[in-house]
Amino acid sequence: MGNMRSNWILGFVLASFWFSSHSFLLSNDYYEKSCPSALAVIRSEMNVAVAKEARMAASILRLHFHDCFVQGCDASVLLDDTPTFRGEKTANANKNSIRGFEVIDGIKEKLESDCPGVVSCADILTVAARDAVILDGGPYWDVPLGRKDSRSASLDEANSNIPTPNSTLLNLLGKFLLQGLSATDMVALSGAHTIGQARCTSFRDRIYKGVEGAESDNVYLSELKGICPQTGGDNNLSPLDYVSPVLFDNAYYRNIINGQGLLNSDQELNMYGSITSEVVQKYAEDPLAFWQQFSDSMVKMGNIVNPLTFITGEVRKNCHLVNE
């Protein structure tokens, strides 16, 4: 256990240096002259998308998260498979989970009309995730820009790096630390689950295998079992935060304290005596503290970039395909 802890600490230090030392490659005013309409177009298209389907805010936020945990925030998650290329969409954590590609496509199409070949898909996704939070009543933060789109993807990294719904606390910590994100970042970013929904397959084990905390509220548990039977109904959906599923607030943390986290990975954050339980308690009591840390952690996650991408990357014309 001591060696494992030492390895995590070393990995965290190295990852923090690697990612933070290259955040200078990004700037808040990157498109001020080259595409001054960029932020307005993204905001307008996100308004339309979320008005049409409230769930889309959470979907875009999740898409950004899944992108940044593989090769950094480089839009690799958007790439389609081709006869000669294998993307990340069929990874276990992405299959039947990530969605909203058509929203990013619509934004890209409009920006290609306004500013051809200027705004990267990676930047579109990062800004769209910020706007998604705002549209559900959450905080604003400035988004550093200037990312390039990767010409590669990694199915292996997508399968190994992205946390799963049944993750244990130690597993979660390891995967966040690998990205240079602290335990506090992890708890704050997990607060994205204050909006959105999860498929039955993501929480079935939690409600039927007696995971600690899952039976603290028999009424809630009965409702979940009605949504998610032991067999069948794999695609049935339940809100990640049943109290206020389309409002970006701190109810998610209060749910966890009450043993009502939908996913095992949610409830694990409040494990007794863990380094994360105090942070959960803090955010349950202080929504402004949650908003502030979430904003800071989103910038930190969005700044995960592979510096080689600025040399080998590109601005894709179509977010699904590398340029010819």
Side-chain angles (χ1 to χ4, degrees), residues 77 79 81 86-96 98 155 158-159:
V77 73
L79 290 169
D81 289 352
R86 190 77 182 274
E88 298 164 13
K89 293 180 179 179
T90 57
N92 294 330
N94 290 336
K95 188 169 49 179
N96 300 316
I98 53 173
L155 182 63
N159 277 322

PDB file of all heavy atoms in Angstrom, residues 77 79 81 86-96 98 155 158-159:
ATOM      1  N   VAL A  77     -12.147  12.387 -29.056  1.00  0.00           N
ATOM      2  CA  VAL A  77     -13.377  11.635 -28.806  1.00  0.00           C
ATOM      3  C   VAL A  77     -14.394  11.811 -29.926  1.00  0.00           C
ATOM      4  O   VAL A  77     -15.294  10.985 -30.098  1.00  0.00           O
ATOM      5  CB  VAL A  77     -13.994  12.061 -27.454  1.00  0.00           C
ATOM      6  CG1 VAL A  77     -14.627  13.440 -27.545  1.00  0.00           C
ATOM      7  CG2 VAL A  77     -15.017  11.033 -26.960  1.00  0.00           C
ATOM      8  N   LEU A  79     -13.748  11.781 -33.185  1.00  0.00           N
ATOM      9  CA  LEU A  79     -13.362  11.124 -34.431  1.00  0.00           C
ATOM     10  C   LEU A  79     -14.120   9.816 -34.652  1.00  0.00           C
ATOM     11  O   LEU A  79     -14.232   8.984 -33.751  1.00  0.00           O
ATOM     12  CB  LEU A  79     -11.861  10.850 -34.436  1.00  0.00           C
ATOM     13  CG  LEU A  79     -10.960  12.077 -34.565  1.00  0.00           C
ATOM     14  CD1 LEU A  79      -9.505  11.702 -34.296  1.00  0.00           C
ATOM     15  CD2 LEU A  79     -11.100  12.712 -35.950  1.00  0.00           C
ATOM     16  N   ASP A  81     -14.727   6.064 -36.479  1.00  0.00           N
ATOM     17  CA  ASP A  81     -13.954   4.956 -37.033  1.00  0.00           C
ATOM     18  C   ASP A  81     -14.002   5.023 -38.558  1.00  0.00           C
ATOM     19  O   ASP A  81     -15.005   5.433 -39.146  1.00  0.00           O
ATOM     20  CB  ASP A  81     -14.538   3.613 -36.594  1.00  0.00           C
ATOM     21  CG  ASP A  81     -14.303   3.321 -35.119  1.00  0.00           C
ATOM     22  OD1 ASP A  81     -13.555   4.083 -34.472  1.00  0.00           O
ATOM     23  OD2 ASP A  81     -14.870   2.338 -34.623  1.00  0.00           O
ATOM     24  N   ARG A  86      -9.144   3.678 -35.935  1.00  0.00           N
ATOM     25  CA  ARG A  86      -9.997   3.274 -34.819  1.00  0.00           C
ATOM     26  C   ARG A  86     -10.093   4.419 -33.817  1.00  0.00           C
ATOM     27  O   ARG A  86      -9.093   4.859 -33.261  1.00  0.00           O
ATOM     28  CB  ARG A  86      -9.413   2.027 -34.142  1.00  0.00           C
ATOM     29  CG  ARG A  86     -10.349   1.369 -33.119  1.00  0.00           C
ATOM     30  CD  ARG A  86     -11.425   0.569 -33.822  1.00  0.00           C
ATOM     31  NE  ARG A  86     -12.356  -0.034 -32.870  1.00  0.00           N
ATOM     32  CZ  ARG A  86     -12.163  -1.212 -32.275  1.00  0.00           C
ATOM     33  NH1 ARG A  86     -11.057  -1.910 -32.532  1.00  0.00           N
ATOM     34  NH2 ARG A  86     -13.064  -1.713 -31.450  1.00  0.00           N
ATOM     35  N   GLY A  87     -11.291   4.927 -33.614  1.00  0.00           N
ATOM     36  CA  GLY A  87     -11.502   6.025 -32.685  1.00  0.00           C
ATOM     37  C   GLY A  87     -11.827   5.552 -31.276  1.00  0.00           C
ATOM     38  O   GLY A  87     -11.578   4.399 -30.914  1.00  0.00           O
ATOM     39  N   GLU A  88     -12.411   6.436 -30.483  1.00  0.00           N
ATOM     40  CA  GLU A  88     -12.668   6.159 -29.067  1.00  0.00           C
ATOM     41  C   GLU A  88     -14.144   5.921 -28.754  1.00  0.00           C
ATOM     42  O   GLU A  88     -14.496   5.592 -27.620  1.00  0.00           O
ATOM     43  CB  GLU A  88     -12.164   7.339 -28.228  1.00  0.00           C
ATOM     44  CG  GLU A  88     -10.668   7.563 -28.354  1.00  0.00           C
ATOM     45  CD  GLU A  88     -10.221   8.939 -27.856  1.00  0.00           C
ATOM     46  OE1 GLU A  88     -11.036   9.632 -27.184  1.00  0.00           O
ATOM     47  OE2 GLU A  88      -9.068   9.323 -28.135  1.00  0.00           O
ATOM     48  N   LYS A  89     -15.003   6.072 -29.732  1.00  0.00           N
ATOM     49  CA  LYS A  89     -16.436   6.029 -29.460  1.00  0.00           C
ATOM     50  C   LYS A  89     -16.937   4.661 -29.009  1.00  0.00           C
ATOM     51  O   LYS A  89     -17.968   4.564 -28.332  1.00  0.00           O
ATOM     52  CB  LYS A  89     -17.222   6.479 -30.702  1.00  0.00           C
ATOM     53  CG  LYS A  89     -17.018   7.949 -31.031  1.00  0.00           C
ATOM     54  CD  LYS A  89     -17.808   8.366 -32.260  1.00  0.00           C
ATOM     55  CE  LYS A  89     -17.615   9.844 -32.559  1.00  0.00           C
ATOM     56  NZ  LYS A  89     -18.353  10.291 -33.766  1.00  0.00           N
ATOM     57  N   THR A  90     -16.206   3.602 -29.348  1.00  0.00           N
ATOM     58  CA  THR A  90     -16.647   2.257 -28.962  1.00  0.00           C
ATOM     59  C   THR A  90     -15.997   1.783 -27.665  1.00  0.00           C
ATOM     60  O   THR A  90     -16.177   0.636 -27.268  1.00  0.00           O
ATOM     61  CB  THR A  90     -16.332   1.244 -30.075  1.00  0.00           C
ATOM     62  OG1 THR A  90     -14.926   1.262 -30.357  1.00  0.00           O
ATOM     63  CG2 THR A  90     -17.112   1.564 -31.343  1.00  0.00           C
ATOM     64  N   ALA A  91     -15.253   2.644 -26.995  1.00  0.00           N
ATOM     65  CA  ALA A  91     -14.678   2.282 -25.691  1.00  0.00           C
ATOM     66  C   ALA A  91     -15.795   1.985 -24.712  1.00  0.00           C
ATOM     67  O   ALA A  91     -16.915   2.494 -24.838  1.00  0.00           O
ATOM     68  CB  ALA A  91     -13.805   3.417 -25.166  1.00  0.00           C
ATOM     69  N   ASN A  92     -15.510   1.148 -23.731  1.00  0.00           N
ATOM     70  CA  ASN A  92     -16.536   0.740 -22.774  1.00  0.00           C
ATOM     71  C   ASN A  92     -17.197   1.931 -22.092  1.00  0.00           C
ATOM     72  O   ASN A  92     -18.411   1.933 -21.860  1.00  0.00           O
ATOM     73  CB  ASN A  92     -15.922  -0.194 -21.718  1.00  0.00           C
ATOM     74  CG  ASN A  92     -15.462  -1.507 -22.307  1.00  0.00           C
ATOM     75  OD1 ASN A  92     -16.030  -1.989 -23.291  1.00  0.00           O
ATOM     76  ND2 ASN A  92     -14.418  -2.094 -21.740  1.00  0.00           N
ATOM     77  N   ALA A  93     -16.398   2.936 -21.743  1.00  0.00           N
ATOM     78  CA  ALA A  93     -16.945   4.097 -21.040  1.00  0.00           C
ATOM     79  C   ALA A  93     -17.712   5.043 -21.961  1.00  0.00           C
ATOM     80  O   ALA A  93     -18.462   5.896 -21.487  1.00  0.00           O
ATOM     81  CB  ALA A  93     -15.812   4.861 -20.352  1.00  0.00           C
ATOM     82  N   ASN A  94     -17.524   4.902 -23.276  1.00  0.00           N
ATOM     83  CA  ASN A  94     -18.160   5.806 -24.236  1.00  0.00           C
ATOM     84  C   ASN A  94     -19.371   5.206 -24.929  1.00  0.00           C
ATOM     85  O   ASN A  94     -20.339   5.910 -25.236  1.00  0.00           O
ATOM     86  CB  ASN A  94     -17.142   6.234 -25.299  1.00  0.00           C
ATOM     87  CG  ASN A  94     -16.077   7.151 -24.743  1.00  0.00           C
ATOM     88  OD1 ASN A  94     -16.287   7.827 -23.745  1.00  0.00           O
ATOM     89  ND2 ASN A  94     -14.916   7.165 -25.384  1.00  0.00           N
ATOM     90  N   LYS A  95     -19.305   3.929 -25.171  1.00  0.00           N
ATOM     91  CA  LYS A  95     -20.392   3.243 -25.891  1.00  0.00           C
ATOM     92  C   LYS A  95     -21.703   3.369 -25.125  1.00  0.00           C
ATOM     93  O   LYS A  95     -21.754   3.096 -23.930  1.00  0.00           O
ATOM     94  CB  LYS A  95     -20.002   1.777 -26.095  1.00  0.00           C
ATOM     95  CG  LYS A  95     -20.921   0.979 -26.980  1.00  0.00           C
ATOM     96  CD  LYS A  95     -20.290  -0.366 -27.314  1.00  0.00           C
ATOM     97  CE  LYS A  95     -19.773  -1.092 -26.096  1.00  0.00           C
ATOM     98  NZ  LYS A  95     -19.186  -2.409 -26.442  1.00  0.00           N
ATOM     99  N   ASN A  96     -22.743   3.802 -25.788  1.00  0.00           N
ATOM    100  CA  ASN A  96     -24.060   3.990 -25.169  1.00  0.00           C
ATOM    101  C   ASN A  96     -24.051   5.028 -24.053  1.00  0.00           C
ATOM    102  O   ASN A  96     -24.943   5.046 -23.194  1.00  0.00           O
ATOM    103  CB  ASN A  96     -24.603   2.663 -24.621  1.00  0.00           C
ATOM    104  CG  ASN A  96     -24.783   1.600 -25.673  1.00  0.00           C
ATOM    105  OD1 ASN A  96     -25.293   1.881 -26.755  1.00  0.00           O
ATOM    106  ND2 ASN A  96     -24.347   0.383 -25.385  1.00  0.00           N
ATOM    107  N   ILE A  98     -21.759   8.516 -24.363  1.00  0.00           N
ATOM    108  CA  ILE A  98     -21.530   9.867 -24.868  1.00  0.00           C
ATOM    109  C   ILE A  98     -22.474  10.169 -26.034  1.00  0.00           C
ATOM    110  O   ILE A  98     -22.784   9.300 -26.843  1.00  0.00           O
ATOM    111  CB  ILE A  98     -20.062  10.088 -25.276  1.00  0.00           C
ATOM    112  CG1 ILE A  98     -19.591   9.014 -26.257  1.00  0.00           C
ATOM    113  CG2 ILE A  98     -19.177  10.124 -24.042  1.00  0.00           C
ATOM    114  CD1 ILE A  98     -18.207   9.279 -26.818  1.00  0.00           C
ATOM    115  N   LEU A 155      -8.139   4.228 -28.364  1.00  0.00           N
ATOM    116  CA  LEU A 155      -9.169   3.371 -27.781  1.00  0.00           C
ATOM    117  C   LEU A 155      -8.675   2.750 -26.481  1.00  0.00           C
ATOM    118  O   LEU A 155      -9.432   2.636 -25.508  1.00  0.00           O
ATOM    119  CB  LEU A 155      -9.551   2.275 -28.780  1.00  0.00           C
ATOM    120  CG  LEU A 155     -10.660   1.313 -28.339  1.00  0.00           C
ATOM    121  CD1 LEU A 155     -11.970   2.058 -28.136  1.00  0.00           C
ATOM    122  CD2 LEU A 155     -10.837   0.195 -29.372  1.00  0.00           C
ATOM    123  N   ALA A 158      -8.912   5.307 -23.735  1.00  0.00           N
ATOM    124  CA  ALA A 158     -10.317   5.538 -23.405  1.00  0.00           C
ATOM    125  C   ALA A 158     -10.847   4.421 -22.515  1.00  0.00           C
ATOM    126  O   ALA A 158     -11.635   4.661 -21.590  1.00  0.00           O
ATOM    127  CB  ALA A 158     -11.152   5.643 -24.674  1.00  0.00           C
ATOM    128  N   ASN A 159     -10.402   3.202 -22.772  1.00  0.00           N
ATOM    129  CA  ASN A 159     -10.838   2.070 -21.953  1.00  0.00           C
ATOM    130  C   ASN A 159     -10.196   2.059 -20.567  1.00  0.00           C
ATOM    131  O   ASN A 159     -10.765   1.525 -19.617  1.00  0.00           O
ATOM    132  CB  ASN A 159     -10.522   0.749 -22.660  1.00  0.00           C
ATOM    133  CG  ASN A 159     -11.576   0.372 -23.679  1.00  0.00           C
ATOM    134  OD1 ASN A 159     -12.772   0.575 -23.463  1.00  0.00           O
ATOM    135  ND2 ASN A 159     -11.151  -0.173 -24.806  1.00  0.00           N
TER     136      ASN A 159
END
